[in-house]
Amino acid sequence: MKELFAHAPSYCEENVRCLLANESALNAVARTILNHPAGGVGSDSASFSMFAVFVSNPTKTVPFWYQSRARNSPSPVIVWDYHVFAVMRVLSENRETTSSYILDLDSVLPFPCPFAEYMRLACPQVIDETYARFFRVVRAELYIANFASDRRHMRTDDGGWLAAPPDWPPFTDEQNTFNLENFWDMKKEVQGSTTLQFGTVYTQDEFCSLFG
């Protein structure tokens, strides 16, 4: 179902911003999870909540397995400075339980992927603290309302691009042109922050408890 969503390589934060705003496609994903065919009984909409998730750490070295970028690489692991994906929490038809799925447009794992499966395969626990992952979780509506990037972090010293920019316009307004660092910052002192517009930072164990 990835084909329902816009994607520009190396711009995961913008890809997730576009994904979260694509309500019709997200409804299609949720219906698939609940085994509701399009147009079937009870399939007009599904109850779910969405979150943007930034993954990084103070050293900007977070390992991920099963990333598309690793397909032609001799190593199965990619070490990102940061990565962004979405989490979908779906309410069951009886409205008594929820299940969580990760939507990672840069992964070769199933899309959507059951939360536990994705974490086990793509983000296994690491021993070296240098590579320990932290997860900043932001509610979809807050991310859509507050995220801003003029893509300056992708510029080279001579004004070129580290990677070709997306074909959609940057997410900026008169008040804010760039606040990406507020999302990828995972310093210890911001863990548990109540600054809602930038979400809350969790350790990997806490993150798994939140959605697992």
Side-chain angles (χ1 to χ4, degrees):
M1 305 192 76
K2 286 183 182 179
E3 68 277 3
L4 299 176
F5 299 96
H7 179 261
S10 301
Y11 290 84
C12 53
E13 65 280 355
E14 293 195 36
N15 294 331
V16 169
R17 168 61 176 77
C18 293
L19 179 150
L20 294 175
N22 193 340
E23 294 184 9
S24 61
L26 290 174
N27 261 302
V29 171
R31 288 196 303 266
T32 298
I33 291 171
L34 294 172
N35 293 316
H36 282 169
V41 176
S43 68
D44 289 342
S45 64
S47 295
F48 61 90
S49 51
M50 296 297 304
F51 305 84
V53 180
F54 276 73
V55 189
S56 191
N57 61 24
T59 60
K60 293 289 184 67
T61 50
V62 285
F64 276 79
W65 279 257
Y66 293 93
Q67 291 284 285
S68 301
R69 184 73 66 87
R71 276 176 173 159
N72 300 315
S73 170
S75 172
V77 61
I78 294 291
V79 179
W80 296 116
D81 52 351
Y82 70 96
H83 187 46
V84 191
F85 54 71
V87 171
M88 172 180 278
R89 179 183 277 164
V90 183
L91 186 64
S92 64
E93 290 187 272
N94 61 17
R95 310 188 76 82
E96 293 180 356
T97 60
T98 60
S99 55
S100 297
Y101 293 79
I102 289 181
L103 283 66
D104 185 352
L105 292 165
D106 296 295
S107 175
V108 297
L109 292 173
F111 184 96
C113 189
F115 182 88
E117 179 182 352
Y118 182 95
M119 293 302 296
R120 176 175 59 85
L121 295 174
C123 297
Q125 288 280 11
V126 293
I127 298 175
D128 189 339
E129 288 297 314
T130 303
Y131 300 103
R133 306 177 192 88
F134 293 91
F135 300 77
R136 180 178 292 278
V137 179
V138 190
R139 293 191 66 87
E141 64 271 20
L142 294 174
Y143 189 59
I144 291 171
N146 294 297
F147 169 73
S149 175
D150 57 10
R151 302 168 181 164
R152 67 184 67 176
H153 65 300
M154 297 299 291
R155 287 287 190 180
T156 61
D157 291 340
D158 61 2
W161 294 100
L162 294 172
D167 57 9
W168 56 79
F171 294 101
T172 61
D173 56 40
E174 293 181 358
Q175 286 74 40
N176 204 347
T177 59
F178 190 82
N179 60 13
L180 186 52
E181 71 276 9
N182 292 322
F183 291 102
W184 72 38
D185 190 347
M186 302 285 166
K187 290 179 181 177
K188 184 176 181 180
E189 58 266 26
V190 303
Q191 291 183 41
S193 167
T194 56
T195 307
L196 293 179
Q197 69 185 108
F198 300 121
T200 303
V201 176
Y202 299 93
T203 65
Q204 183 152 334
D205 285 341
E206 292 169 339
F207 179 66
C208 289
S209 295
L210 183 65
F211 290 109

